[in-house]
């Protein structure tokens, strides 16, 4: 089974979770608690918000926060 969650502006700024992003992550957490054998793949990208150097740092680190 593949579930795709498209979230625009989930993290703004990159180290903080927006209220809408928190709601999405809470739903994903609920799913994982219900189906603990499920595997998850997280993908993301930086956008043009913020400075080029900040976006590069976030993108290259591969993680948020």
């Amino acid at each position: 089974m593949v579930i795709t969650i498209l979230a625009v502006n989930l993290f703004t700024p990159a180290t903080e979770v927006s209220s809408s992003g928190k709601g999405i992550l809470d739903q994903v957490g609920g799913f994982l608690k219900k189906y603990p054998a499920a595997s998850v793949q997280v993908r993301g990208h930086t956008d043009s918000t913020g400075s080029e150097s900040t976006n590069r740092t976030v993108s290259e680190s591969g993680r948020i926060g």
Side-chain angles (χ1 to χ4, degrees):
M1 172 185 346
V2 175
I3 299 172
T4 302
I5 301 170
L6 301 175
V8 177
N9 297 325
L10 183 62
F11 302 97
T12 304
T15 58
E16 297 178 13
V17 179
S18 67
S19 59
S20 62
K22 184 177 181 334
I24 292 167
L25 294 176
D26 287 345
Q27 290 177 17
V28 171
F31 174 85
L32 292 173
K33 285 180 182 178
K34 187 172 181 178
Y35 303 100
S39 67
V40 175
Q41 184 179 63
V42 177
R43 295 182 184 184
H45 70 280
T46 59
D47 58 18
S48 60
T49 303
S51 70
E52 182 178 342
S53 64
T54 298
N55 286 339
R56 184 179 306 110
T57 300
V58 171
S59 180
E60 290 173 353
S61 73
R63 64 184 181 85
I64 305 287

